[in-house]
Amino acid sequence: MRSDPFEARAEVKPILRVSILLISFVALGLRFIHLEADFPPGINWSGDLYTDEGWYSNNAIARHLTGRWTIEGDFNPIVTLPVFNVTQAAAFSVLGLSLTTARITEVIFSILVCVFAYLLVARLGGPLPGLVTLLLLSTNFTLFAFSRLAILDLPMTALTLMSFLLATSRRWTWTVNVSVASFAFCLAALTKTTALFGLPSLVYLIWTSQPTLRKGLLAACVCLASIALLLGAYYVAASVVFPEAVSMFVSTEFLPRLEWTLPAVVWALGRTVWHGMVLDRIAYPLALVFLPLFILTSEQARRNRLVIALAGWLAVSFVALGVRGYLPPRYYLPLSVPVVSLFGLMIVHAYRKLRPLPWSYAPLVLLAGIVAGHLFSIARYLSSPEFTFVEMASDVRRRIESGGADDLLIGNMANSISLATGVP
């Protein structure tokens, strides 16, 4: 049932491969510079910059400072979304509690997103589209900015992509592939529940990885059953031990905020698609505009399971976010993978179809312009960093220490200040 390769797998010229890899590795390495600097202005319209890093590392912070995982009366995300807190706790035990340590963990996950996306596209779409995907993801300024903020979206995306890679692997028997892919996807969902937007794509990839329709359907059913069993068992156990935390989680995460009228639905979907411009003001609209044409005019695109899986991930995400109603920029970070990967496939496809005409290089010029613009934004940001948040946090700590008061912080930003200062 495997589809034919999207393009002939022509060998990529060594100088092109080395150049793309060099630019990508440099861009990925720049993520480690000035990790405590303020978030770049002009990207985010949500207050999550000052709250979410502390909120979603809260139990790892508590474990490091008090020896206890949970805090009575506080937000305890480890109950319902345990993976990130466990990862952060491991990082704090090795490198110590600090904002830098928390963000190093995020940087590593962001690098994994780029690497896993490259491997997936190269496996199912060809080496050159894979390299273009790596180049676009590693240099994207929005992704760069959020990859230095210790939040859940990129770790979840990395684990989702890992499940896709495991689902399409040919190293093991189908039972092993389905088992490990399902387990990896459960880890993604236990990092952030929006991983479920990628479940149809995972099931489709598992189904089409089998040699016959019967085996494909069986593998898909086993995948769904495994994920339902694992996640169901976990949340049943969690609801028994921590019923209030699970009840609050369900009420905030799964209840829609959309008025179910036709005008409201159309407005919500349009607004959802429009807000995705935060990812890239050139590649994002071009990818959305040309994707239907790409699929309609190219038989190889229609037969390629990578194109179908990525388009499905994108479509499900738009619908789910539209129903959700709340649209901070961080919710669009997982969408960067299908958007950039599909755009990379279209760029390479257009270049090959236009050769040897003189304007065949137009897609490559467009690609170079996009990458150059993002690299300029990264360089400009890193050349003049500001540290007002850590300075404020340090001032709070000094006031507590000089005043002789109890060293206890309370408030929406308390967890993030605790992360930066070590004050409980």
Side-chain angles (χ1 to χ4, degrees):
M1 289 182 63
R2 295 186 183 94
S3 301
D4 293 332
F6 175 69
E7 295 283 0
R9 294 176 181 263
E11 197 66 34
V12 180
K13 293 182 179 180
I15 188 169
L16 179 61
R17 179 187 297 273
V18 170
S19 299
I20 291 177
L21 290 176
L22 181 61
I23 295 171
S24 301
F25 290 162
V26 169
L28 292 174
L30 291 176
R31 284 161 162 76
F32 291 96
I33 298 177
H34 299 316
L35 269 178
E36 292 193 342
D38 295 341
F39 193 82
I43 295 178
N44 201 12
W45 53 80
S46 170
D48 52 19
L49 300 181
Y50 307 107
T51 56
D52 283 36
E53 287 186 290
W55 284 352
Y56 291 102
S57 297
N58 190 30
N59 299 115
I61 299 169
R63 178 71 176 82
H64 189 84
L65 294 177
T66 69
R68 300 188 306 272
W69 279 107
T70 59
I71 303 173
E72 186 177 355
D74 201 355
F75 177 47
N76 293 297
I78 195 170
V79 174
T80 51
L81 302 171
V83 173
F84 191 64
N85 266 281
V86 172
T87 305
Q88 290 287 48
F92 294 156
S93 67
V94 174
L95 301 175
L97 175 66
S98 70
L99 191 60
T100 296
T101 300
R103 291 179 175 179
I104 284 175
T105 307
E106 186 79 12
V107 168
I108 292 172
F109 274 116
S110 76
I111 292 173
L112 290 177
V113 168
C114 297
V115 172
F116 290 165
Y118 160 71
L119 292 174
L120 182 67
V121 176
R123 175 182 292 174
L124 301 180
L128 185 54
L131 287 170
V132 171
T133 297
L134 175 63
L135 179 65
L136 288 168
L137 285 175
S138 61
T139 57
N140 182 276
F141 183 55
T142 299
L143 202 59
F144 169 87
F146 278 100
S147 70
R148 296 151 47 86
L149 198 67
I151 55 178
L152 304 179
D153 302 85
L154 290 177
M156 176 272 291
T157 305
L159 292 169
T160 301
L161 285 170
M162 180 189 292
S163 73
F164 290 178
L165 279 170
L166 293 169
T168 56
S169 174
R170 300 183 184 182
R171 292 187 178 182
W172 307 296
T173 62
W174 75 267
T175 53
V176 175
N177 280 359
V178 171
S179 298
V180 294
S182 300
F183 182 74
F185 189 83
C186 287
L187 291 179
L190 290 173
T191 303
K192 189 170 184 179
T193 51
T194 49
L196 295 174
F197 300 170
L199 181 58
S201 295
L202 173 66
V203 173
Y204 171 76
L205 289 172
I206 286 178
W207 170 45
T208 55
S209 294
Q210 308 311 315
T212 66
L213 176 62
R214 182 180 177 183
K215 282 190 175 181
L217 290 174
L218 176 61
C221 290
V222 170
C223 171
L224 286 171
S226 300
I227 293 172
L229 180 63
L230 289 172
L231 292 180
Y234 178 84
Y235 282 115
V236 167
S239 64
V240 171
V241 182
F242 301 98
E244 292 183 359
V246 174
S247 176
M248 183 181 72
F249 171 72
V250 171
S251 65
T252 56
E253 292 293 321
F254 293 101
L255 295 181
R257 307 179 184 181
L258 178 64
E259 180 185 350
W260 291 103
T261 63
L262 182 59
V265 170
V266 172
W267 167 255
L269 290 177
R271 176 172 170 264
T272 301
V273 173
W274 174 256
H275 278 313
M277 292 288 287
V278 71
L279 293 176
D280 188 294
R281 295 191 176 276
I282 298 176
Y284 174 79
L286 287 177
L288 295 189
V289 168
F290 285 103
L291 178 60
L293 183 64
F294 179 52
I295 294 175
L296 287 173
T297 60
S298 172
E299 182 182 356
Q300 284 185 315
R302 292 192 299 273
R303 294 174 56 196
N304 184 264
R305 54 198 176 124
L306 175 66
V307 173
I308 296 172
L310 293 176
W313 190 8
L314 196 60
V316 171
S317 297
F318 280 143
V319 172
L321 289 176
V323 171
R324 175 74 174 161
Y326 177 54
L327 299 171
R330 69 181 187 276
Y331 280 17
Y332 289 88
L333 298 179
L335 273 63
S336 64
V337 174
V339 167
V340 164
S341 301
L342 290 167
F343 184 71
L345 284 166
M346 286 186 276
I347 284 283
V348 174
H349 178 69
Y351 167 68
R352 287 173 171 165
K353 288 298 181 184
L354 291 173
R355 291 180 66 188
L357 298 174
W359 50 82
S360 64
Y361 289 96
L364 303 185
V365 172
L366 174 64
L367 174 65
I370 292 172
V371 171
H374 284 298
L375 287 174
F376 175 77
S377 297
I378 293 173
R380 182 175 59 181
Y381 164 68
L382 291 177
S383 65
S384 56
E386 297 183 358
F387 299 88
T388 60
F389 178 78
V390 293
E391 290 168 358
M392 178 272 293
S394 298
D395 183 59
V396 170
R397 181 175 59 187
R398 284 193 298 268
R399 290 170 184 266
I400 290 175
E401 292 173 349
S402 63
D406 293 336
D407 55 342
L408 182 64
L409 297 167
I410 300 175
N412 286 345
M413 295 175 60
N415 305 97
S416 294
I417 296 175
S418 180
L419 177 61
T421 63
V423 177

